[in-house]
Amino acid sequence: MIPVNDPIFNNDDFEYLSNAFKSGWVSSAGPYIEEFEKSWADYCNRKYGIAVTNGTVALEVALKAIGIKATDEVIMPTFTIISCAQAITNLGAKPVLVDCDPNTWCMDVKKIEEKVSPATKAIMVVHMYGHPVDMDYVFEIAAKYDLKIIEDAAEVHGAEYLSKRNTANPKWLKCGSMGHVSTFSFFANKLITTGEGGMILTDDPDIKARAESIRNLCFNSERRFKHFELGNNYRFTNLQAAIGVSQIKRIDKIVADKQFIGNLYLKELSQIDGIHLQTQQNWAKSVFWVNGLVLDEDVGLNAENFCKKLMELGIDTRPFFLGMHEQPVFQEMGLFLDEKYEISELIARQGFYLPSGLAMTSKLVEEVIKAVKMVMRGI
């Protein structure tokens, strides 16, 4: 079986982890935490990093830190993981959905403005499967309506976006550097992994201070164990941070390896009739977090049945996200009733992704491609 993802750890990772163990700093204090926060913030061209327990928590803390509260609305894509919408509803706020672009599978930024209302306070963008959102449209709308931007960069470690590309001064921007606040995940299948873990990045010292307080039970300087508001224990450990510090040192190689794997898939699978890959735009430098494909409906199989056939050939896969408007839990809450998003529904039904981890060699990629071709020939 070729797994959908295998994380890669090297001797340096184990050495850093061992050093953290030997130091005695094994919990939510220790020098590696600060180094990890600073190193990742520096890599993403940010001033401040606040490490937390996971990417889902990072989203909720980020929203709370910028002041999102009950009755507020946050515009977001329907095609994403449930963490994004849940972080909004956990604060009593309302997610307002837009469909995705049929080519990049990121949110269709040209549909954002029609969803702005007097209650709108922010736009949450989600860079999808390694490819950046077309952010210039988001910048314009946010400025026009005085909205905050929350940038979910969980899937795009190291990806870049060409901003102002139609001007005399275009500039490549690192994903994670473009919102008022941005968030990352360091789950096992991410380019940088600490097992679990997340981070909030910002250039705003007030947002930094607020996020640090929220992750640490809202302790205050007046008196320890005296609380004026409720936070939570979302602290990150020095052990996890040690692994992260080690991996950041080789992030350029990790990104290059992922792009190599992605381009192998792109070269071969894009030639197959009935299969559509994520379109790589010339204004984006994708990191191919995962390598997905969408089947034409006239091939005769949906993604679920196609993946069953791949499993029989020893190829593990994962389905695409199911849109937020199709989630039973949100429908039971009275959200998104009678809402339809054609593109998201299509790719959720016909899309899936292939083994994409850093352990993939050229030979393994070739085996996966061969299996996909075999299934297509057998249809």
Side-chain angles (χ1 to χ4, degrees):
M1 177 66 64
I2 300 178
V4 76
N5 179 76
D6 258 343
I8 296 291
F9 299 101
N10 67 15
N11 289 335
D12 288 342
D13 298 337
F14 290 109
E15 182 177 349
Y16 275 76
L17 181 59
S18 176
N19 289 340
F21 267 117
K22 291 173 182 177
S23 74
W25 295 101
V26 298
S27 190
S28 56
Y32 282 125
I33 297 174
E34 184 176 346
E35 184 176 355
F36 183 48
E37 290 173 332
K38 184 178 186 307
S39 295
W40 192 246
D42 286 347
Y43 176 74
C44 296
N45 300 314
R46 285 291 210 184
K47 290 183 179 179
Y48 309 113
I50 305 95
V52 292
T53 49
N54 55 60
T56 300
V57 161
L59 285 164
E60 187 168 332
V61 173
L63 287 162
K64 195 170 183 180
I66 64 170
I68 299 300
K69 58 186 182 305
T71 74
D72 289 342
E73 293 182 356
V74 178
I75 298 172
M76 60 165 287
T78 188
F79 185 73
T80 185
I81 194 167
I82 199 169
S83 304
C84 300
Q86 180 177 320
I88 299 168
T89 59
N90 280 356
L91 298 179
K94 179 183 177 181
V96 176
L97 305 179
V98 298
D99 207 349
C100 64
D101 179 89
N103 299 308
T104 66
W105 311 332
C106 297
M107 68 190 304
D108 188 341
V109 294
K110 295 180 181 178
K111 295 182 178 179
I112 293 174
E113 188 167 17
E114 65 191 51
K115 294 299 182 81
V116 176
S117 80
T120 306
K121 294 298 185 291
I123 303 168
M124 179 188 289
V125 299
V126 185
H127 304 298
M128 189 57 57
Y129 294 162
H131 193 288
V133 172
D134 196 352
M135 291 296 297
D136 282 351
Y137 289 94
V138 183
F139 298 149
E140 291 174 10
I141 296 165
K144 181 176 179 179
Y145 295 98
D146 192 24
L147 305 176
K148 291 288 193 294
I149 298 172
I150 305 103
E151 181 191 7
D152 182 352
E155 303 173 8
V156 285
H157 300 193
E160 296 180 55
Y161 170 74
L162 185 61
S163 181
K164 300 181 179 178
R165 54 187 179 273
N166 296 320
T167 71
N169 299 299
K171 183 178 181 181
W172 285 101
L173 302 176
K174 194 70 66 72
C175 288
S177 72
M178 294 182 279
H180 293 88
V181 62
S182 55
T183 64
F184 283 90
S185 166
F186 302 110
F187 184 60
N189 61 6
K190 301 302 191 293
L191 277 74
I192 296 289
T193 179
T194 56
E196 284 282 4
M199 195 177 295
I200 300 138
L201 299 182
T202 186
D203 296 326
D204 187 322
D206 293 331
I207 293 176
K208 170 186 181 287
R210 182 93 176 109
E212 287 178 332
S213 178
I214 294 165
R215 77 165 173 187
N216 193 30
L217 295 167
C218 289
F219 283 108
N220 72 91
S221 58
E222 179 182 314
R223 186 195 187 282
R224 191 165 180 82
F225 305 122
K226 183 177 183 180
H227 302 266
F228 294 95
E229 64 176 320
L230 297 177
N232 219 312
N233 179 0
Y234 291 146
R235 299 185 296 254
F236 195 66
T237 73
N238 197 51
L239 298 179
Q240 293 170 289
I243 301 170
V245 166
S246 175
Q247 293 190 8
I248 290 173
K249 294 181 184 299
R250 62 177 189 276
I251 180 62
D252 290 342
K253 183 180 186 308
I254 290 171
V255 169
D257 288 347
K258 290 289 282 187
Q259 290 172 334
F260 176 76
I261 294 165
N263 281 309
L264 285 178
Y265 277 128
L266 190 62
K267 179 182 177 182
E268 293 296 325
L269 295 181
S270 62
Q271 307 301 316
I272 302 175
D273 289 339
I275 287 178
H276 300 279
L277 305 185
Q278 189 177 39
T279 303
Q280 303 302 307
Q281 302 289 348
N282 58 13
W283 43 260
K285 295 179 182 177
S286 175
V287 292
F288 297 94
W289 172 56
V290 295
N291 295 279
L293 60 87
V294 175
L295 302 168
D296 277 348
E297 291 189 288
D298 60 11
V299 302
L301 286 179
N302 62 19
E304 181 180 1
N305 292 326
F306 198 101
C307 289
K308 287 179 180 177
K309 292 181 178 293
L310 286 176
M311 180 64 76
E312 293 171 0
L313 297 172
I315 308 300
D316 195 14
T317 59
R318 290 291 184 276
F320 272 10
F321 295 130
L322 183 67
M324 295 303 96
H325 67 291
E326 294 190 285
Q327 297 291 348
V329 64
F330 289 137
Q331 293 174 356
E332 290 176 10
M333 293 167 63
L335 293 172
F336 319 133
L337 299 180
D338 300 320
E339 294 186 26
K340 303 289 289 181
Y341 298 95
E342 180 181 349
I343 304 301
S344 295
E345 291 167 18
L346 171 66
I347 66 176
R349 187 169 60 249
Q350 296 296 116
F352 62 93
Y353 64 87
L354 300 164
S356 302
L358 286 165
M360 292 296 291
T361 62
S362 298
K363 182 178 179 181
L364 290 175
V365 172
E366 289 171 3
E367 289 185 31
V368 175
I369 292 168
K370 180 180 177 181
V372 171
K373 290 179 177 179
M374 287 177 64
V375 174
M376 289 297 292
R377 284 196 298 268
I379 294 174

